[in-house]
Amino acid sequence: LERNLQNAKDLFQSKLNEIFGQKGDGWVEKRLEEICSIKHGFAFKSQYFAKSGSHVVLTPGSFYEKGGFRDQGEKTKFYTGDIPSDYVLNEGDFLFAMTEQAVGLLGSSLVVPKSGYYLHNQRLGLVQTLENVKWDNSFFSHLFNTMSFRRAVQLTASGVKVRHTSPKKLGAIQVSFPEDIDEQKRISSKLNMLASRTQRVKNKYNGELIALEELKKSILQKAFNGEI
């Protein structure tokens, strides 16, 4: 079961790398700085962090290592201080984690799920696409989860205990993508479908592993009680 679970994870990553490695007609190669700017977040003061409030400060903990928005539950940081309007995020905004507070986090991305509620914190980079650039959030989320892109981000980072990168360093990374927005959406739709199927398989194997662990505990308990 553990091998099957790992195979399911590897299958999606393999397909991801295959699609972005093969490229195709209409694909171009550009530096990130040629298609977008990356804006630094605001240094919100920790003295105004609270367990409740009208706004939430996004942190590196708001990102999954594989990319995507993570609700932090009880660890959510609300903010009760003055809020600069330029750092209130909108639904669909695209952010990078520019610090690695957990292994694999550096370079992960998320799409903001709600307008007027989340705040753009320091160490997070907000993508602002340049004029006439076609950008599908889902497509670029997958692109930024490829092994080649993550390795490129790692090479830009500095620091020992906690590694960081910057908008300027990220901007120098080369990326390949189709300029046609419809092609971006076609590819992302295909990958989203595969990701959904892969997740269902992973959930199945995880459920069976949990059941086996519970069975093991039950048998051991009965053995210690002399019931076997």
Side-chain angles (χ1 to χ4, degrees):
L1 282 171
E2 288 171 345
R3 284 198 301 271
N4 287 340
L5 179 59
Q6 186 58 51
N7 287 340
K9 295 177 181 177
D10 292 344
L11 173 64
F12 180 75
Q13 188 64 48
S14 175
K15 190 63 177 178
L16 188 68
N17 294 332
E18 176 189 328
I19 288 176
F20 287 99
Q22 287 181 347
K23 306 173 188 177
D25 293 337
W27 286 58
V28 295
E29 185 169 299
K30 295 185 178 182
R31 296 187 305 278
L32 267 182
E33 64 188 7
E34 294 181 272
I35 61 175
C36 68
S37 62
I38 301 174
K39 177 184 175 184
H40 261 304
F42 183 78
F44 289 97
K45 297 178 181 178
S46 59
Q47 68 199 70
Y48 295 111
F49 289 169
K51 293 184 177 180
S52 63
S54 59
H55 290 84
V56 170
V57 178
L58 292 182
T59 69
S62 304
F63 295 71
Y64 284 107
E65 285 76 6
K66 63 180 181 180
F69 174 80
R70 171 164 36 197
D71 187 328
Q72 296 193 80
E74 294 181 356
K75 295 182 179 180
T76 298
K77 292 182 178 180
F78 291 89
Y79 196 73
T80 58
D82 293 334
I83 299 171
S85 60
D86 288 347
Y87 295 91
V88 179
L89 295 164
N90 294 310
E91 181 179 350
D93 281 347
F94 193 101
L95 295 172
F96 272 119
M98 297 193 296
T99 187
E100 190 165 45
Q101 294 184 357
V103 176
L105 186 64
L106 187 67
S108 62
S109 59
L110 66 73
V111 177
V112 176
K114 181 180 177 181
S115 292
Y117 183 63
Y118 295 102
L119 304 179
H120 180 198
N121 197 14
Q122 60 183 345
R123 301 294 187 186
L124 307 182
L126 173 64
V127 167
Q128 298 173 313
T129 54
L130 302 184
E131 189 176 357
N132 297 325
V133 171
K134 305 300 182 184
W135 177 293
D136 177 67
N137 276 342
S138 181
F139 173 87
F140 280 93
S141 293
H142 288 302
L143 190 159
F144 297 144
N145 276 330
T146 59
M147 294 174 62
S148 59
F149 182 82
R150 290 302 185 91
R151 281 196 297 265
V153 173
Q154 285 288 340
L155 290 173
T156 71
S158 59
V160 180
K161 290 185 177 180
V162 179
R163 292 169 61 75
H164 308 287
T165 187
S166 67
K168 184 176 181 179
K169 291 178 179 178
L170 286 173
I173 296 176
Q174 295 272 1
V175 292
S176 297
F177 61 97
E179 289 189 297
D180 181 20
I181 190 71
D182 290 333
E183 179 64 6
Q184 291 181 22
K185 290 180 178 180
R186 186 191 69 80
I187 292 171
S188 64
S189 177
K190 182 178 180 179
L191 287 170
N192 289 341
M193 186 179 299
L194 179 60
S196 178
R197 290 176 178 174
T198 304
Q199 189 60 51
R200 286 199 296 272
V201 172
K202 287 161 60 178
N203 290 343
K204 175 179 179 290
Y205 289 139
N206 277 321
E208 292 180 10
L209 285 170
I210 292 171
L212 283 171
E213 184 63 25
E214 291 301 317
L215 177 61
K216 175 184 175 182
K217 291 178 182 177
S218 175
I219 292 173
L220 287 174
Q221 187 63 43
K222 287 181 179 181
F224 282 120
N225 291 339
E227 298 174 23
I228 295 178

